[in-house]
Amino acid sequence: MTGEIQAEAQRSPEEDVTLLELLDRVLDKGVVLSGDITLSVTDVDLIFVGLRVLLSSVEAARRQRGEGAGG
Amino acid sequence: MVYVYAIFEPSGKRFDTLHGVGDAPAYVQLSDGIGVAWSEVAGAVARPTPDNVWRHEQVVEAIMRAHAVLPVRFGTVLRDVDALDALVERNRERLCEGLRRVRDCVELGVRVLLPNEAGTASEVPDDSSGRAYLLARLREEQARRDHETFARETAARLHAQFSSRAADSTLRVFPNPPFLMAGAYLVPRDRTDEFRRCVTAAGEAEPSLRLLCTGPWPPYHFVPELALPEVQRA
């Protein structure tokens, strides 16, 4: 369903939101089997800094493309 | 060590060979009506690279195609298969109930954005006096509160529509633009088209909003809380 995650420059705004939704789920939800999940911190910081930039650019990109709101 | 992807209800169907994080093969462990998918990994540290996250999701979705599945959080590494077995046994009832709850359902996500001009940088007044500054701050604060009220009321209205077409749901409301809300909905597989039509219709009825429906996801938001072993100190 999600397909491969394209390099950032190649992703559409829709794919950006899908990636956000995916990361939100796998990193923050799901069954917790261990009180102790160790994530490599540098990678996580890079992903979330990237996403903050992405999120503010999603709507900017839509406005630029002249897309209407809704749907 | 053992990296865990998902807990599922075995059906006797065979799996294609699955490869998970670090391209390691994913194995299936069956224990009296509960299946677990896992891979052998060298260490306890998981790197949430796009590739590893995608592979984790790929294993879960492959299982989801034909089984009730409870996805496990990314990065879950246990000492060994015995530790995994012990966890499953300890939580057998909760897991069976959890699987029953999500059987024949998928998770759909709805994210609502308010594309807006306000809520970003406030206007810079020509008058740079303290009074002008305070007025600008008051305007900002009022705009923030207006947005919060609007977000809460809009989210409640939309969520009521969507959750009426779902077996279960969760809602998160955001205080700051551009996001307004994010909802997760546990929807029977044969009702997903109807659900998506409802989201599209809601988007058309609210031209100031942008609604994005994603999925089908494994039911990440609808998993049980398990009893975990006490932490053992060496």
Side-chain angles (χ1 to χ4, degrees):
Chain A
M1 180 268 308
T2 51
E4 287 185 9
I5 298 174
Q6 303 281 356
E8 188 168 329
Q10 296 163 357
R11 285 197 303 266
S12 66
E14 290 82 0
E15 284 170 311
D16 284 340
V17 172
T18 302
L19 175 57
L20 166 67
E21 293 268 282
L22 171 62
L23 289 170
D24 193 35
R25 283 169 168 80
V26 300
L27 296 179
D28 193 41
K29 299 285 179 287
V31 178
V32 175
L33 289 177
S34 162
D36 205 10
I37 290 186
T38 305
L39 296 177
S40 170
V41 171
T42 308
D43 288 328
V44 173
D45 283 346
L46 285 174
I47 288 175
F48 283 101
V49 165
L51 279 176
R52 273 198 286 277
V53 170
L54 273 178
L55 294 176
S56 56
S57 72
V58 165
E59 277 309 312
R62 289 194 184 285
R63 280 197 295 274
Q64 274 191 331
R65 288 186 350 204
E67 291 180 21
Chain B
M1 305 195 78
V2 162
Y3 183 99
V4 187
Y5 303 92
I7 296 163
F8 64 97
E9 203 169 50
S11 65
K13 296 190 176 86
R14 286 185 61 82
F15 289 100
D16 295 331
T17 306
L18 298 173
H19 288 263
V21 297
D23 210 22
Y27 300 108
V28 158
Q29 177 91 347
L30 301 183
S31 151
D32 203 13
I34 294 182
V36 186
W38 58 275
S39 283
E40 245 178 65
V41 289
V45 178
R47 299 183 64 225
T49 61
D51 193 54
N52 276 343
V53 167
W54 162 233
R55 284 174 182 281
H56 175 106
E57 179 65 7
Q58 203 174 18
V59 171
V60 182
E61 287 188 9
I63 296 168
M64 181 169 98
R65 268 178 227 131
H67 305 80
V69 67
L70 298 171
V72 170
R73 188 167 298 187
F74 181 89
T76 301
V77 179
L78 304 179
R79 192 185 63 236
D80 52 30
V81 173
D82 288 341
L84 181 54
D85 276 344
L87 258 178
V88 168
E89 281 319 306
R90 185 173 176 161
N91 290 279
R92 174 163 289 277
E93 255 185 64
R94 295 181 202 209
L95 290 171
C96 286
E97 170 57 25
L99 287 165
R100 187 202 60 76
R101 198 174 155 222
V102 301
R103 195 183 293 146
D104 297 324
C105 291
V106 294
E107 178 174 312
L108 294 176
V110 180
R111 203 168 271 267
V112 180
L113 292 96
L114 177 64
N116 68 334
E117 296 73 30
T120 51
S122 51
E123 293 170 16
V124 179
D126 290 337
D127 175 3
S128 61
S129 71
R131 181 173 176 277
Y133 174 83
L134 283 173
L135 283 174
R137 292 287 83 79
L138 279 169
R139 274 198 295 273
E140 263 184 26
E141 178 60 17
Q142 189 56 49
R144 190 189 62 76
R145 288 186 200 179
D146 290 344
H147 173 84
E148 268 191 43
T149 305
F150 177 74
R152 244 193 343 265
E153 291 172 356
T154 305
R157 188 172 68 248
L158 290 172
H159 185 66
Q161 285 180 51
F162 304 147
S163 56
S164 71
R165 285 168 175 74
D168 201 355
S169 61
T170 67
L171 174 67
R172 218 159 77 203
V173 181
F174 298 101
N176 295 313
F179 286 113
L180 197 135
M181 64 168 262
Y185 303 90
L186 189 66
V187 179
R189 284 181 200 265
D190 57 3
R191 296 187 67 187
T192 54
D193 286 343
E194 177 195 328
F195 186 92
R196 286 199 189 88
R197 279 196 297 271
C198 176
V199 176
T200 303
E204 283 161 4
E206 309 250 8
S208 65
L209 303 177
R210 182 162 197 102
L211 275 65
L212 296 156
C213 184
T214 62
W217 300 101
Y220 281 95
H221 281 81
F222 303 103
V223 297
E225 194 175 320
L226 303 190
L228 302 181
E230 314 256 318
V231 173
Q232 286 168 351
R233 303 271 171 220

